[in-house]
Amino acid sequence: MLIEGYDGGPLAAEEPLVARPGFWSNHLLGSCCRDVGAVPEWFGDDGADVDAMSEVLMDPERWPVFRVPLEGGYEILVVYRNLVGDYGVDYLLTRPSRSTAHRIASWEGDLEGNTLRWRELIHIADSPSSGAEGIKNPAVRLVLLLPLLKEHALPDEAVEVVSSALVAVGAPQDTAPTTAEHLLGHAAGGVWHDPTWSSPLSGSSGSPGSTESGVLARLGII
């Protein structure tokens, strides 16, 4: 797999990993749950699962990439960037008919970059591109991109929607609502906004406008 800006990086499409034990604990514990005493069991995992998956996800010889195809030929890529001394998770956006992928956010202990609003996350989850390769399952799409969610006023059904998605990807049914509340509590805790952000698609510079819009709305994708 080739992505501009990752020259020499051993990128590999690894969508099947989302179904393996330990994946969701690795993907969500640090980015969404680190301040609330989360444990792997919230996601149906145990410590051994998490350790084994960590070795796979953080392998410097093979950087996992998870593709989320969108309507209109857009695609979000989740890349585990396993550079020695520069580990992080990058969220990229590709434009139709373009070979380039632009970074919209990164997680390196904290989220830096652009975020999604609730309606954008649901739109992405429910609108896979039928003709492209990548993750099509709505629950997996929602949970995979949940670290990008930032919204103060979440709708009443948000906990139920996220809880159902968690159960669908393997979380215990009896604890999923509580896990969903914690994940959404993180999302509602503040809107991260980079005032220097400019649209990677438009070539413009300067302020992107109101923080009331998520990145897809500001790009005019939805």
Side-chain angles (χ1 to χ4, degrees):
M1 175 176 286
L2 297 175
I3 301 175
E4 185 170 328
Y6 290 78
D7 297 341
L11 302 168
E14 292 283 14
E15 287 84 9
L17 291 180
V18 302
R20 288 179 50 178
F23 176 81
W24 294 112
S25 292
N26 273 282
H27 190 66
L28 295 176
L29 280 176
S31 61
C32 297
C33 301
R34 60 182 173 174
D35 298 326
V36 293
V39 293
E41 286 74 15
W42 286 14
F43 304 98
D45 301 325
D46 60 29
D49 295 332
V50 176
D51 290 344
M53 181 54 64
S54 292
E55 294 184 6
V56 175
L57 291 175
M58 301 180 69
D59 183 356
E61 302 297 325
R62 188 178 179 88
W63 300 0
V65 179
F66 303 91
R67 297 165 295 176
V68 181
L70 310 179
E71 293 176 323
Y74 293 95
E75 185 176 51
I76 294 177
L77 305 174
V78 181
V79 180
Y80 277 73
R81 170 176 34 87
N82 296 328
L83 282 169
V84 176
D86 187 25
Y87 167 80
V89 180
D90 295 333
Y91 296 84
L92 312 177
L93 179 69
T94 65
R95 184 180 183 180
S97 304
R98 295 279 185 92
S99 61
T100 56
H102 300 274
R103 186 179 304 183
I104 57 175
S106 294
W107 184 85
E108 299 176 6
D110 288 296
L111 185 67
E112 297 183 357
N114 298 282
T115 56
L116 296 173
R117 300 298 297 271
W118 175 257
R119 71 178 186 89
E120 294 178 309
L121 180 62
I122 295 303
H123 178 84
I124 292 170
D126 293 341
S127 304
S129 173
S130 59
E133 295 183 346
I135 296 172
K136 306 293 182 62
N137 184 292
V140 175
R141 291 162 69 91
L142 188 151
V143 181
L144 183 69
L145 299 181
L146 198 58
L148 293 180
L149 176 66
K150 292 292 180 184
E151 177 149 4
H152 291 301
L154 288 161
D156 293 340
E157 71 271 15
V159 170
E160 182 179 353
V161 171
V162 173
S163 177
S164 295
L166 289 170
V167 171
V169 301
Q173 189 165 3
D174 57 340
T175 58
T178 301
T179 303
E181 288 177 357
H182 285 302
L183 292 170
L184 292 172
H186 167 85
V191 177
W192 199 100
H193 171 55
D194 180 356
T196 67
W197 182 92
S198 60
S199 167
L201 304 188
S202 68
S204 64
S205 60
S207 173
S210 171
T211 58
E212 292 303 306
S213 296
V215 61
L216 296 191
R218 293 198 299 271
L219 293 174
I221 296 174
I222 66 170

